[in-house]
Every structure is written in structure tokens, then in C-alpha cells.
Amino acid sequence: KTYGKVVSKVSIKGAPRGEAHHMGFTDDRRYLWAGGLEDSRIHVFDVGTDPAKPKLVKTIADLPQKTGFVGPHTFYAMPGRMLIQALSNNKAHGGATGIAVYNNKGDFVAKHDMPAGEIGGVKGDGYGYDLAINPKKNVLLTSSFTGWNNYMMDMGKMVGDAEAMKRFGTTMAAWDLKAMKPKQIFNVPGSPLEIRWSL
């Protein structure tokens, strides 16, 4: 009888747009993390205690202060950890960004800048969007998109702005997962966005 009907809702309170963008479960599937692209807050919901009634249990507001990154986009669980691919930075709001690592309790652990130098003859652009892991191959893949100045701009205005249209990433990077070091950069047409491993 409740198929297709809202059975519960949770407010994240205080966010400018009340936004919880992309989400990801912790490795134990008991908590759901979601990020705000505008305010860079990360909202942690308890979905394990009563799955029909998720509860907001924590809001992490220190991503920009701890990392220099803004726009938490992709949440990817590892044992006891959450990898967070950010879209931008808090200095120029451009595309240079990186990956933040928090533990499951919401404590900051480490940060890793997206590659902006040359590896194997291909120069990285420093942009980020998505990430995915193939543990059997010890490979982390990252993709690219654009920075805060673009993704917060009105779409019609951005498309008509020749300079803004130049500010999009066109690379992917393959990382040594255990070392969290980029090993190879790929040039790809357009912004590659979503990553899915064919396992």
C-alpha cells in the first residue's frame, strides 16, 4: 500500500538550499553520507537503526578548513573510511581539487590533491568529479568536471560564456590505491564524469 509513497523525511536544516546531493553508504551500510555542493557540508544519516526512518546524526562542516576543497560530490566507502571526491577549492573556486578521507566517525584523516603535473607525458588538470575502486587490481580511478564558479552559475549564462566553457576538466587518473598516488593520466574527450568498473 505504501509503494511509491513517501514514508519518512528528514530535514538537514540550516543549509542555504537544504541540499543533500550525491550520497554513499559506509562500508557497514548503516550510515549514509551526503554532501552539499553549495555549502560543502556533509550530512551523515543513520539508516541502520530504523531503515524506514533515517535520522540525521552528524553534520561535518570542516571540509574546506581541513582540506581547502569545496563541493563534496562522490562518497566511496572503504573499510572504516569514507573517500570524498570534491569538485572545487576554497581559494579561487576553480577546478583544482582533491580527495578527502574521513573515518566512519566523521573525523578527518587525510587529503590528496588531484594530479596537476605531468605523468607519463600527459598533464593532469587537477579537476575532480567521481571516483571508483577496483580492489583486485589495487586501482583507484578518478574523473573530472568543473569548479564551483561554473557549477553554481546559471546554466544558460554559463553556456553563453566562452571563458566559462573553457573551465572543464578533460582527464582521468589511475592511482595506486594503497599508496594513494596517481600513476597514470588519460586525456578524454569532454568531461568524463561518472565512473563504473566493468567487473
Side-chain angles (χ1 to χ4, degrees):
K1 292 181 179 179
T2 59
Y3 181 79
K5 295 186 166 114
V6 174
V7 295
S8 181
K9 63 182 180 178
V10 184
S11 172
I12 57 171
K13 301 173 185 170
R17 298 185 180 187
E19 179 193 25
H21 190 66
H22 282 200
M23 305 178 189
F25 286 104
T26 50
D27 59 323
D28 59 8
R29 314 293 282 178
R30 298 188 57 79
Y31 295 91
L32 183 68
W33 290 40
L37 297 186
E38 182 175 14
D39 65 7
S40 298
R41 291 176 179 268
I42 299 165
H43 310 286
V44 181
F45 300 90
D46 177 351
V47 294
T49 303
D50 185 353
K53 294 180 180 176
K55 182 179 178 184
L56 179 65
V57 293
K58 184 167 191 155
T59 298
I60 301 167
D62 65 0
L63 177 73
Q65 293 77 23
K66 297 279 186 182
T67 65
F69 307 146
V70 297
H73 183 266
T74 300
F75 296 85
Y76 201 100
M78 291 182 67
R81 298 280 189 267
M82 184 65 78
L83 299 184
I84 304 166
Q85 174 66 75
L87 292 182
S88 191
N89 63 75
N90 65 355
K91 291 180 183 170
H93 280 175
T97 188
I99 301 167
V101 183
Y102 282 76
N103 66 24
N104 282 0
K105 293 181 180 178
D107 302 318
F108 174 73
V109 175
K111 68 171 254 185
H112 305 279
D113 294 327
M114 297 301 293
E118 191 173 294
I119 300 175
V122 180
K123 189 173 187 313
D125 51 33
Y127 285 45
Y129 182 79
D130 198 13
L131 55 83
I133 292 170
N134 186 327
K136 290 181 180 177
K137 295 185 177 291
N138 185 39
V139 175
L140 161 70
L141 279 179
T142 56
S143 62
S144 58
F145 181 46
T146 193
W148 196 94
N149 289 329
N150 270 11
Y151 70 72
M152 290 303 298
M153 191 185 303
D154 174 80
M155 180 69 85
K157 181 180 177 185
M158 183 182 69
V159 170
D161 184 333
E163 287 305 307
M165 292 304 290
K166 293 176 185 175
R167 297 192 297 262
F168 281 86
T170 58
T171 62
M172 291 183 73
W175 301 58
D176 178 319
L177 174 62
K178 290 179 182 173
M180 285 302 289
K181 300 273 186 195
K183 305 296 277 183
Q184 189 173 1
I185 298 172
F186 308 95
N187 276 319
V188 293
S191 293
L193 302 179
E194 309 291 342
I195 301 171
R196 297 294 179 269
W197 278 103
S198 176
L199 299 175

